Amino acid sequence: MKRLYQKSEISFALVWIGLYVVVMNIALQFCGGFDDLADKTVPQMLIPVICILILAIASTVWILRNGLTEKFGLCKFKGNAQTFLWFLPLVIMSCINLKNGLTLSASLVVSALMAINLAVGGYVEELIFRGFLFRAMAKDNLRSAIIVSAVTFGAGHIVNVFNTSDIFGVLLQVGYAIVIGFLYTVIVYKGGSLWPCIASHIFVNGSSVFARDEGPFTQLVAAVFGQATPSITEACSAALIIIISGGYALWLWKKTK
């Protein structure tokens, strides 16, 4: 990996993206994807958890051994918390899965394993997209680096069509993930650290396992639109994410040095 990195940082990043997508989709296919969590067994869930932990450990150890923690953002946040509005918009966006409250739709162990799989996946995605890919491109063209990092991160979620029957939900996910990717990239560029994005990404992914389908947010959607079908509710949730993430990203881009 070191030889590939020295030869071409972009190729290095693309190899990691491909490795992550292929390995995790094969692992998720083995456990039956994201649907019907209550029907999954502990042995099924262990496969994706083990795979994502191996990728997380391998990527982190490689960064540490090569002294690249500063370059790839595994370092202290360098921005001004007040200028970043104390990350309150990021916190609000990260709590989107709490909008209807929390529930346990499967056994505690199975739910915990899925949450670990998704949470660690968020950590790995930050290393790959905001670390490897963004830094590889930023030294030549910052604007292109930000756009490509955000778009590839969002578009990469299209592979989830193979792991769920909710195709509409995946398409919405691609859309708002691009905006979230833009926000995360701006935070990394302006603050020099991945940790705020890692914390947000881990919480968003992990809490999704325990999110309720119906609750206060659903009732609000029904009051506004006269009904709250799953599609309408998902669209409203996606719109909320886009508004908060996009607005915060633009604020940071204009206000921070």
Side-chain angles (χ1 to χ4, degrees):
M1 278 293 186
K2 186 175 182 179
R3 184 174 298 178
L4 175 62
Y5 173 77
Q6 292 173 336
K7 182 178 180 180
S8 172
E9 291 186 32
I10 291 180
S11 296
F12 174 81
L14 293 177
V15 167
W16 268 102
I17 291 173
L19 185 65
Y20 171 71
V21 170
V22 171
V23 170
M24 292 314 300
N25 271 278
I26 291 175
L28 284 169
Q29 286 292 312
F30 178 84
C31 77
F34 297 118
D35 295 335
D36 304 318
L37 188 61
D39 296 330
K40 301 189 190 308
T41 64
V42 172
Q44 280 182 308
M45 287 308 307
L46 282 174
I47 299 299
V49 169
I50 291 172
C51 287
I52 194 60
L53 286 174
I54 290 174
L55 290 175
I57 293 170
S59 56
T60 304
V61 168
W62 187 88
I63 291 172
L64 293 173
R65 283 185 175 179
N66 289 280
L68 296 170
T69 54
E70 195 82 15
K71 177 174 182 178
F72 291 131
L74 294 182
C75 57
K76 184 179 178 181
F77 178 69
K78 301 174 183 177
N80 182 294
Q82 182 177 357
T83 306
F84 278 71
L85 303 178
W86 293 279
F87 296 108
L88 287 178
L90 181 66
V91 172
I92 293 172
M93 186 279 293
S94 301
C95 293
I96 192 66
N97 290 319
L98 308 183
K99 61 186 182 294
N100 281 322
L102 302 176
T103 188
L104 197 62
S105 60
S107 72
L108 181 59
V109 176
V110 168
S111 298
L113 287 173
M114 178 61 88
I116 291 171
N117 171 50
L118 294 176
V120 179
Y123 170 78
V124 174
E125 287 177 358
E126 289 308 307
L127 284 186
I128 293 174
F129 290 99
R130 252 66 64 185
F132 299 158
L133 182 61
F134 173 65
R135 292 303 178 188
M137 298 186 66
K139 59 183 180 180
D140 296 321
N141 190 313
L142 176 61
R143 179 174 294 182
S144 294
I146 292 174
I147 292 173
V148 171
S149 177
V151 172
T152 54
F153 169 69
H157 288 78
I158 196 67
V159 298
N160 287 337
V161 297
F162 301 112
N163 299 307
T164 180
S165 58
D166 184 12
I167 306 302
F168 180 69
V170 171
L171 295 178
L172 287 176
Q173 185 183 45
V174 169
Y176 65 69
I178 290 175
V179 181
I180 292 176
F182 174 56
L183 169 60
Y184 284 169
T185 307
V186 171
I187 289 175
V188 171
Y189 171 63
K190 297 289 187 175
S193 174
L194 280 176
W195 290 117
C197 304
I198 287 173
S200 170
H201 205 154
I202 285 177
F203 188 78
V204 169
N205 282 13
S207 63
S208 67
V209 177
F210 306 98
R212 289 176 60 93
D213 292 329
E214 298 183 0
F217 184 75
T218 309
Q219 294 168 6
L220 177 61
V221 171
V224 173
F225 295 97
Q227 58 179 332
T229 65
S231 295
I232 293 176
T233 304
E234 283 184 317
C236 289
S237 180
L240 191 59
I241 293 173
I242 290 171
I243 292 170
I244 296 173
S245 300
Y248 185 40
L250 292 175
W251 164 270
L252 293 178
W253 185 256
K254 293 179 180 180
K255 295 296 182 180
T256 57
K257 296 182 180 179

